[in-house]
């Protein structure tokens, strides 16, 4: 009898040991490319999406542990409800209220971008996250310190083990996890998209239709559908801010022709991503339209050729264009629970 | 899994050592003598030099015989004068008469995303705001510097045309089953730099290209009397 009991415990113990040592593989998830969209640029083969890694990235994105004094998370400057940007600040505000030099960018459809930041200085989404962590006016931290904190935390080593098969945390695993989250932020369900997909009961109003025509004539060459950016760089003639002295892409390439060229931003969810432009100089979308209509200095030598002919919209045309831009709002994206603060 | 890895590594080492292995060592020099960090060097013309950082990447190590490639490694090695022992290259003892390697990182690797080991950005040889590797880093103070503080900093890198900075070093060498010793003379490098143009180069561009192009000429094969 005693032997039987012993044997029973032995079995339970062995089964426990075996099941403990068999690691369940992370669950692969598919990156869904919306119908008729181009192929993503991001190389998913090098960082295959898994549920465990996405959730780890999401947790990191919302965790102020990444900043030196644990006050600022990625989400402080990239808020979901506003298209993952900082609203109301012309230039971003980081640790201890320090001001950066640029308006924080939206995080929308990043999988289709080959360069990042307003000047395109970042050449791969996987390495972008090093910037905010190290930037003195953003998180002002070091990679060593982030790795140290995550490694001694109670929760993270186990989560890294689930995602990457090892509790060892390094720059690459942190960056890959963050990317799994940010690359998954796809917005493709605005009214514009629903009309394109000919969904039942959805159609443009006359005003929106007129706006689309104006948009196609004057804006679409740069803000090209379906991403509403051709992902290149251009100058829309903004006068240089003498305090910030931001020369755009020239700082990266040192090529004269790149002077004052900035990333052409997506216009998806533009209704909520104010203020606008690399230095956040326009607070309202109306101001942007007025600028394109009447404010461009057509003699600016950096101005891209598409904008040389003045547009001179009348008030009705301006309203039409605005109405069209509002059709790029995607509430299912802005309120998608999968992207929100992890509970 | 880990055990398998260890066994494979052991077998591999056994196999490689069985073939006879040699090492390649880099020796930093100043005016022909071993360079030490934080030592003040004063020359006869009373110019002086002091170095605090010297680190660079070595890649594309290739061995040739009669002009034909015999072996090539795809490894990236980080040389750091602060920790010279962390730099070790071993290779199979084959018959060759010539070797070449690059100082720096090729453009494909520069856009490959996040990498680990020698290429982990944590090593301080990576620009985040203008993503790309710093191929070669030399910092210190010198009477040559035009800065008030007499400091100089050369962070040489950049892979985008037309400002590519990666350099290739070619050295004729006979394989005699001994370790290969390669020296590079930092004084020779400093002498070629036009300090009036800049004592600090921290971004890719024309300056970085010009200064990088000095590098291949400072490498020489040293006799190995061992």
């Amino acid at each position: 009898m005693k032997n039987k009991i012993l044997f029973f415990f032995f079995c339970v113990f062995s089964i426990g040991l075996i099941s403990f040592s068999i690691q369940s593989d992370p669950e692969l998830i598919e990156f869904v490319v919306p119908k008729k969209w181009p192929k993503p640029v991001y190389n998913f083969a090098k960082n295959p999406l898994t549920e465990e890694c996405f959730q780890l990235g999401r947790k990191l994105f919302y965790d102020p542990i990444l900043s030196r004094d644990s006050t600022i998370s990625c989400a402080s400057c990239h808020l979901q409800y506003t298209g993952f940007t900082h609203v109301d600040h012309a230039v971003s505000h980081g640790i201890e209220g320090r001001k950066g030099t640029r308006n924080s960018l939206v995080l929308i459809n990043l999988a289709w971008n080959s360069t990042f930041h307003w000047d395109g200085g970042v050449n791969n989404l996987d390495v972008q996250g090093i910037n905010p962590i190290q930037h003195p006016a953003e998180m002002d931290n070091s990679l060593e310190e982030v790795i140290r904190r995550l490694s001694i935390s109670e929760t993270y080593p186990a989560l890294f083990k689930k995602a990457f098969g090892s509790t060892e945390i390094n720059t690459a695993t942190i960056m890959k996890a963050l990317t799994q989250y940010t690359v998954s932020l796809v917005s493709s369900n605005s009214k514009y998209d629903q009309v394109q997909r000919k969904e039942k009961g959805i159609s443009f109003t006359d005003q929106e239709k007129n706006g689309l025509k104006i948009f196609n004539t004057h804006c679409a060459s740069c803000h090209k559908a379906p991403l509403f950016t051709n992902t290149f760089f251009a100058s829309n003639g903004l006068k240089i801010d003498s305090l910030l002295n931001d020369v755009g892409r020239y700082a990266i390439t040192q090529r004269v022709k790149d002077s004052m060229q900035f990333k052409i931003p997506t216009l998806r969810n533009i209704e909520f991503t104010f203020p606008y432009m690399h230095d956040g100089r326009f607070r309202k979308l109306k101001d942007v339209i007025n600028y394109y209509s009447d404010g461009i200095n057509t003699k600016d030598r950096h101005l891209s050729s598409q904008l040389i002919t003045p547009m001179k919209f009348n008030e009705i045309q301006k309203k039409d264009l605005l109405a069209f831009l509002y059709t790029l709002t995607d509430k299912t994206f802005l309120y998608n629970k999968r992207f929100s603060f992890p509970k | 899994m880990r055990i398998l890895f260890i066994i494979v590594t052991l077998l591999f080492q056994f196999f490689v050592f069985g073939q006879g292995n040699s090492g390649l060592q880099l020796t930093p020099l100043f005016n022909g003598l071993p360079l030490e960090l934080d030592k003040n060097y004063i020359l006869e013309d009373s110019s002086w030099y002091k170095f605090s950082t010297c680190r660079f990447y070595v890649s594309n190590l290739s061995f040739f015989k009669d002009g034909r490639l015999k072996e090539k490694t795809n490894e990236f090695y980080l040389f750091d004068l602060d920790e010279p022992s962390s730099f070790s290259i071993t290779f199979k003892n084959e018959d060759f008469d010539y070797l070449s390697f690059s100082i720096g990182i090729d453009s494909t690797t520069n856009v490959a995303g996040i990498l680990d080991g020698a290429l982990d950005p944590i090593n301080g040889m990576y620009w985040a705001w203008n993503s790309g590797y710093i191929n070669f880093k030399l910092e210190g103070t010198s009477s040559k510097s035009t800065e008030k503080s007499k400091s100089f900093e050369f962070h040489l890198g950049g892979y985008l045309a037309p400002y590519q900075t990666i350099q290739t070093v070619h050295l004729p060498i006979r394989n005699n089953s001994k370790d290969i010793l390669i020296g590079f003379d930092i004084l020779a490098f400093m002498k070629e730099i036009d300090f009036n143009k800049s004592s600090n180069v921290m971004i890719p561009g024309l300056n970085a290209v010009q200064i990088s192009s000095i590098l291949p000429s400072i490498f020489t094969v040293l006799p190995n009397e061992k």
Side-chain angles (χ1 to χ4, degrees):
Chain A
M1 188 59 202
K2 219 179 190 177
N3 271 347
K4 266 191 186 159
I5 293 175
L6 260 177
F7 182 70
F8 173 75
F9 277 113
F10 175 74
C11 285
V12 170
F13 180 72
S14 325
I15 290 168
L17 205 69
I18 289 167
S19 53
F20 185 75
S21 57
I22 297 175
Q23 254 248 253
S24 59
D25 278 339
E27 181 195 337
L28 283 171
I29 41 184
E30 192 196 350
F31 181 82
V32 181
V33 179
K35 274 214 181 81
K36 295 193 184 156
W37 280 35
K39 250 181 72 184
V41 176
Y42 186 73
N43 186 352
F44 287 97
K46 278 195 179 165
N47 187 17
L49 291 185
T50 65
E51 185 59 23
E52 287 78 3
C53 196
F54 168 86
Q55 292 299 348
L56 171 61
R58 177 181 175 198
K59 186 172 162 68
L60 287 167
F61 188 86
Y62 283 96
D63 197 337
I65 193 171
L66 299 183
S67 63
R68 180 172 50 75
D69 62 1
S70 297
T71 57
I72 302 261
S73 73
C74 306
S76 309
C77 297
H78 299 286
L79 235 104
Q80 179 178 11
Y81 307 127
T82 62
F84 289 94
T85 185
H86 216 186
V87 278
D88 242 14
H89 293 303
V91 291
S92 66
H93 290 209
I95 197 168
E96 292 164 359
R98 294 182 198 166
K99 277 192 188 171
T101 55
R102 285 185 181 152
N103 184 8
S104 115
L105 270 159
V106 295
L107 308 182
I108 299 174
N109 301 337
L110 295 174
W112 286 270
N113 285 251
S114 51
T115 57
F116 304 87
H117 287 189
W118 284 104
D119 55 18
V122 175
N123 67 20
N124 191 308
L125 189 53
D126 290 346
V127 290
Q128 192 283 330
I130 301 169
N131 286 276
I133 290 174
Q134 293 182 337
H135 199 297
E138 293 180 11
M139 296 173 143
D140 194 28
N141 210 342
S142 68
L143 294 170
E144 286 90 341
E145 176 60 13
V146 169
I147 292 169
R148 191 190 67 79
R149 284 190 201 170
L150 295 177
S151 302
I152 59 169
S153 93
E154 281 185 2
T155 45
Y156 278 108
L159 296 175
F160 275 84
K161 170 132 191 169
K162 271 196 196 159
F164 296 103
S166 162
T167 52
E168 195 205 304
I169 298 173
N170 62 31
T171 318
T173 48
I174 296 170
M175 292 302 140
K176 284 184 172 173
L178 277 170
T179 305
Q180 293 228 349
Y181 174 75
T182 55
V183 82
S184 302
L185 304 173
V186 176
S187 174
S188 65
N189 195 28
S190 62
K191 178 170 181 186
Y192 170 85
D193 300 297
Q194 293 167 356
V195 171
Q196 295 308 303
R197 292 193 295 257
K198 302 195 167 65
E199 287 186 14
K200 260 219 324 261
I202 310 273
S203 61
F204 282 142
T205 63
D206 287 343
Q207 197 182 31
E208 289 162 354
K209 269 187 209 150
N210 292 337
L212 172 61
K213 268 192 211 129
I214 298 169
F215 186 85
N216 280 338
T217 312
H218 295 285
C219 319
S221 61
C222 293
H223 299 286
K224 186 173 163 241
L227 300 167
F228 290 89
T229 165
N230 58 13
T231 73
F232 295 124
F233 301 85
S235 163
N236 61 1
L238 296 174
K239 226 173 109 207
I240 192 163
D241 179 321
S242 58
L243 289 177
L244 298 171
N245 225 345
D246 195 338
V247 294
R249 186 133 181 86
Y250 176 77
I252 301 300
T253 64
Q254 310 280 316
R255 285 184 301 218
V256 178
K257 70 178 176 64
D258 289 334
S259 187
M260 301 310 292
Q261 307 290 304
F262 287 88
K263 174 178 181 132
I264 298 171
T266 179
L267 301 184
R268 285 186 172 272
N269 301 296
I270 197 75
E271 179 179 3
F272 292 108
T273 63
F274 56 92
Y276 303 105
M277 305 300 167
H278 69 269
D279 53 8
R281 69 178 68 185
F282 298 126
R283 296 186 49 80
K284 298 207 167 100
L285 205 44
K286 254 190 358 219
D287 304 340
V288 175
I289 291 179
N290 284 333
Y291 170 73
Y292 276 107
S293 170
D294 314 304
I296 293 180
N297 170 12
T298 52
K299 294 209 178 64
D300 182 304
R301 66 197 161 90
H302 302 295
L303 182 67
S304 296
S305 58
Q306 299 96 311
L307 293 169
I308 282 175
T309 326
M311 299 174 193
K312 300 283 178 214
F313 302 136
N314 62 35
E315 287 311 304
I316 295 171
Q317 288 172 313
K318 287 181 187 172
K319 289 215 172 85
D320 292 348
L321 186 53
L322 197 62
F324 171 72
L325 291 175
Y326 288 158
T327 70
L328 302 178
T329 296
D330 174 359
K331 289 252 164 79
T332 55
F333 172 73
L334 301 175
Y335 294 92
N336 187 342
K337 287 238 159 56
R338 191 167 163 74
F339 303 145
S340 63
F341 185 85
K343 297 243 164 60
Chain B
M1 190 58 210
R2 183 155 292 175
I3 290 187
L4 195 69
F5 177 74
I6 292 169
I7 292 173
V8 168
T9 317
L10 283 175
L11 274 175
F12 178 75
Q13 290 197 347
F14 179 75
F15 176 73
V16 171
F17 278 112
Q19 299 251 319
N21 238 25
S22 296
L24 187 148
Q25 287 167 32
L26 286 181
T27 311
L29 304 168
F30 185 87
N31 212 2
L33 294 171
L35 171 71
E36 286 171 46
L37 285 184
D38 301 317
K39 176 172 165 177
N40 205 4
Y41 292 95
I42 305 171
L43 298 186
E44 276 174 9
D45 65 359
S46 77
S47 63
W48 55 270
Y49 303 85
K50 194 169 162 179
F51 302 91
S52 55
T53 306
C54 171
R55 3 173 53 191
F56 57 89
Y57 281 112
V58 170
S59 61
N60 289 321
L61 179 62
S62 310
F63 297 90
F64 298 86
K65 167 84 178 176
D66 300 328
R68 238 185 255 141
L69 180 67
K70 297 216 55 168
E71 202 190 331
K72 183 171 187 268
T73 67
N74 295 318
E75 288 285 315
F76 296 89
Y77 305 94
L78 178 57
F79 178 85
D80 183 353
L81 188 48
D82 233 358
E83 286 177 81
S85 61
S86 68
F87 184 88
S88 98
I89 298 182
T90 49
F91 56 88
K92 260 189 295 191
N93 249 330
E94 275 196 64
D95 192 20
F96 55 84
D97 54 18
Y98 179 90
L99 69 80
S100 73
F101 56 87
S102 301
I103 302 296
I105 305 294
D106 61 90
S107 60
T108 314
T109 308
N110 264 296
V111 297
I114 192 80
L115 300 164
D116 48 23
L119 296 174
D120 190 329
I122 210 166
N123 296 322
M125 295 292 280
Y126 192 79
W127 282 306
W129 60 278
N130 187 353
S131 5
Y133 286 93
I134 298 169
N135 295 332
F136 181 93
K137 202 181 220 184
L138 187 70
E139 297 174 356
T141 45
S142 168
S143 56
K144 296 265 181 188
S145 168
T146 52
E147 298 284 315
K148 257 209 196 107
S149 61
K150 290 292 153 197
S151 66
F152 65 84
E153 281 178 284
F154 298 111
H155 296 185
L156 308 179
Y159 65 92
L160 284 173
Y163 300 124
Q164 297 100 329
T165 46
I166 187 169
Q167 301 294 321
T168 308
V169 180
H170 301 273
L171 296 170
I173 183 160
R174 190 152 295 277
N175 173 28
N176 51 11
S177 305
K178 283 184 189 168
D179 284 359
I180 297 175
L181 305 187
I182 293 174
F184 57 98
D185 201 312
I186 290 295
L187 178 61
F189 176 71
M190 295 294 281
K191 276 189 166 161
E192 291 297 317
I193 293 174
D194 182 355
F195 279 86
N196 289 321
K197 265 194 193 153
S198 183
S199 303
N200 289 293
V201 176
M202 319 275 284
I203 57 170
L206 195 58
N207 266 338
V209 172
Q210 280 171 352
I211 299 178
S212 296
S213 70
I214 304 168
L215 288 170
S217 66
I218 70 170
F219 286 83
T220 47
V221 179
L222 304 177
N224 186 353
E225 273 97 31
K226 215 167 38 188

